[in-house]
Amino acid sequence: MKKLSIFFVSVLALGLSVSCSSNDDDKASLEGKWEVYQNGTIVDGKEKLTPVVSEGGCNKDVFEIQAGGTFIDHYSQYSNSKCNDYSENGTWTRKDNTITIKYDGESSVNDAEILVLNETTLKLKYTYTNQSETTEIYVVEFKRI
């Protein structure tokens, strides 16, 4: 994937007001390695998630959140009958139930609402409004590895 937003949408694939009551484990840390598990959207207030399957048997995408506010986005792309592994670095910050992601060399940032954070699961919600003022909501669920 080329950017985290791409990673989160398809892996690119990412109601409208979702409670964070499922974020019960205040002791759970964002820091760690998170493998993308499933993604989808919220339609009429209901999540519609599907498992993420890696094309061509490539490695699943892993988002490694590090101490000190840095991250590494590891991803694979299937091209010309082979898997190509890549990684990109950036910074992250957290304020309340929002994580902000910024890739090195990029001016834009991605904000996500933390819907679930516990020892095994991280679920994020991204809300985008495109140029035609259409709002799109994406949800990505990760499992800690």
Side-chain angles (χ1 to χ4, degrees), residues 59-116:
N59 294 324
K60 282 196 174 180
D61 296 350
V62 173
F63 194 64
E64 184 177 349
I65 302 175
Q66 302 174 325
T70 61
F71 70 82
I72 305 172
D73 183 2
H74 305 273
Y75 58 94
S76 292
Q77 290 181 328
Y78 186 73
S79 177
N80 297 322
S81 300
K82 69 177 187 170
C83 296
N84 298 296
D85 294 323
Y86 302 95
S87 65
E88 294 188 60
N89 298 328
T91 57
W92 67 275
T93 57
R94 179 181 180 181
K95 182 172 184 199
D96 301 322
N97 280 325
T98 300
I99 182 172
T100 300
I101 303 294
K102 182 179 182 294
Y103 282 86
D104 290 349
E106 297 289 322
S107 59
S108 62
V109 297
N110 294 298
D111 290 326
E113 179 182 351
I114 300 169
L115 300 178
V116 176

Side-chain angles (χ1 to χ4, degrees), residues 24-52:
D24 296 328
D25 192 352
D26 291 334
K27 296 178 184 167
S29 173
L30 278 170
E31 295 170 10
K33 290 184 179 181
W34 298 95
E35 182 177 79
V36 67
Y37 177 67
Q38 55 184 353
N39 62 24
T41 62
I42 296 177
V43 178
D44 296 327
K46 295 185 181 193
E47 288 183 7
K48 296 186 179 203
L49 303 178
T50 57
V52 172

Side-chain angles (χ1 to χ4, degrees), residues 1 3-14 35-43 46-54 60-61 115 121-126 137-143:
M1 305 262 153
K3 297 290 168 227
L4 185 61
S5 60
I6 291 173
F7 173 71
F8 285 143
V9 173
S10 72
V11 151
L12 183 52
L14 275 314
E35 182 177 79
V36 67
Y37 177 67
Q38 55 184 353
N39 62 24
T41 62
I42 296 177
V43 178
K46 295 185 181 193
E47 288 183 7
K48 296 186 179 203
L49 303 178
T50 57
V52 172
V53 178
S54 298
K60 282 196 174 180
D61 296 350
L115 300 178
T121 304
L122 171 62
K123 187 185 289 187
L124 302 175
K125 178 179 93 171
Y126 291 84
I137 299 172
Y138 301 100
V139 176
V140 181
E141 184 175 331
F142 300 86
K143 295 295 180 188

